[in-house]
Amino acid sequence: MSSFTNLLYHIVYSTKHRQPLIALNWQDNLHKYIGGIIRERDGIAIEIGGMPDHVHILAKLSPKRAIMDVLRDIKAGSSKWANESGHVRGRFEWQTGYGAFSVSHSQVSRVVEYIHTQAEHHRATTFQDEFLAMLRRHEIEFDMRYVFDEEIIS
């Protein structure tokens, strides 16, 4: 028998310390670059969007690749691209972790719409509140001490 998969993920992660570094004038190019990395890893980027401090990705990933490896490559490659492109003063970095939530095929259009309406959604909700709500909705246990990278001020 052949193997058949439909591994759909809603992936969310922020810039380091949730700094609003992703400006509108280069956001689309960043999303296209991320989509290219996903394609190179045998995946399909269905939708990519976000805000100046975070990104949402809806992607179909290959069963040949571990999600943590794909995310490592996406984050490393896109941060390198952002730094080399000259779009950001200083250093562009992503937070250490990420959220990856499985998506049923029947919910794809709903997740696409959610990603499309990020600007509207974030008029009333911070990234932190959005991310915590996603963890709770998916019944993922967490310790608040380890959810967000906190900037250390000395």
Side-chain angles (χ1 to χ4, degrees):
M1 174 177 197
S2 295
S3 298
F4 303 95
T5 65
N6 191 25
L7 305 175
L8 299 165
Y9 295 96
H10 181 184
I11 301 161
V12 184
Y13 55 91
S14 74
T15 57
K16 189 167 186 177
H17 308 306
R18 292 160 313 285
Q19 294 296 310
L21 300 174
I22 307 167
L24 285 175
N25 66 331
W26 61 277
Q27 185 179 57
D28 285 343
N29 288 336
L30 173 65
H31 296 165
K32 288 176 186 173
Y33 194 86
I34 290 170
I37 295 170
I38 293 169
R39 277 188 306 280
E40 288 174 358
R41 303 310 181 272
D42 306 311
I44 299 168
I46 297 168
E47 188 67 38
I48 302 174
M51 297 297 294
D53 65 345
H54 69 280
V55 67
H56 288 259
I57 302 167
L58 176 60
K60 181 176 183 173
L61 299 181
S62 169
K64 297 185 292 184
R65 311 238 184 213
I67 191 166
M68 64 184 237
D69 294 338
V70 173
L71 264 292
R72 179 200 59 225
D73 294 348
I74 290 170
K75 290 167 72 175
S78 61
S79 62
K80 181 178 182 205
W81 174 86
N83 283 310
E84 290 177 354
S85 69
H87 291 303
V88 180
R89 285 190 186 155
R91 183 153 175 79
F92 183 91
E93 295 180 72
W94 296 111
Q95 73 176 38
T96 302
Y98 59 86
F101 310 97
S102 58
V103 176
S104 169
H105 182 73
S106 65
Q107 296 299 308
V108 167
S109 61
R110 185 171 166 215
V111 176
V112 167
E113 180 65 19
Y114 182 79
I115 293 171
H116 272 288
T117 58
Q118 280 292 290
E120 179 181 322
H121 176 72
H122 284 290
R123 285 190 198 118
T125 304
T126 65
F127 168 73
Q128 293 95 317
D129 289 341
E130 173 189 45
F131 192 76
L132 292 173
M134 293 176 88
L135 293 175
R136 290 180 181 115
R137 186 169 45 253
H138 290 273
E139 298 182 10
I140 297 172
E141 292 184 25
F142 60 91
D143 183 329
M144 276 301 295
R145 294 176 297 175
Y146 307 111
V147 176
F148 301 109
D149 291 341
E150 297 300 329
E151 187 168 13
I152 299 170
I153 301 172
S154 51

